[in-house]
Amino acid sequence: MKILLTALCFFLFVLIAAQEAVVQIEGCEVKSPTFNGHCNDPISDKICDINCRFGEGLINGSCKNQECMCVC
């Protein structure tokens, strides 16, 4: 019974720690300083993503409110 309780506590600790890490990662989003033009169609959305990943070395990018936003 003691082993089961210990395993359950460990599992809950790992679950809570993983959830906190996800919340921190989602919070970093910046406007691309190098993307030119409006971001208002699927093609410019893809260009924004490529620009953020390869041009700026960030995780990814997408169009939001007609601006290219990068996730760091």
Side-chain angles (χ1 to χ4, degrees):
M1 189 65 160
K2 228 176 168 181
I3 294 173
L4 180 62
L5 184 58
T6 303
L8 181 61
C9 287
F10 178 75
F11 175 74
L12 288 174
F13 175 76
V14 170
L15 185 65
I16 290 169
Q19 182 65 27
E20 289 297 320
V22 169
V23 170
Q24 291 174 356
I25 290 171
E26 290 176 10
C28 181
E29 188 175 69
V30 294
K31 182 181 175 188
S32 171
T34 60
F35 183 83
N36 295 324
H38 290 287
C39 209
N40 56 5
D41 59 42
I43 294 171
S44 58
D45 190 59
K46 186 65 176 170
I47 293 170
C48 170
D49 182 48
I50 291 169
N51 181 69
C52 290
R53 288 190 291 139
F54 299 109
E56 299 179 26
L58 299 173
I59 296 172
N60 64 13
S62 64
C63 294
K64 293 185 181 171
N65 298 325
Q66 296 186 349
E67 293 181 334
C68 180
M69 301 299 290
C70 299
V71 176
C72 39

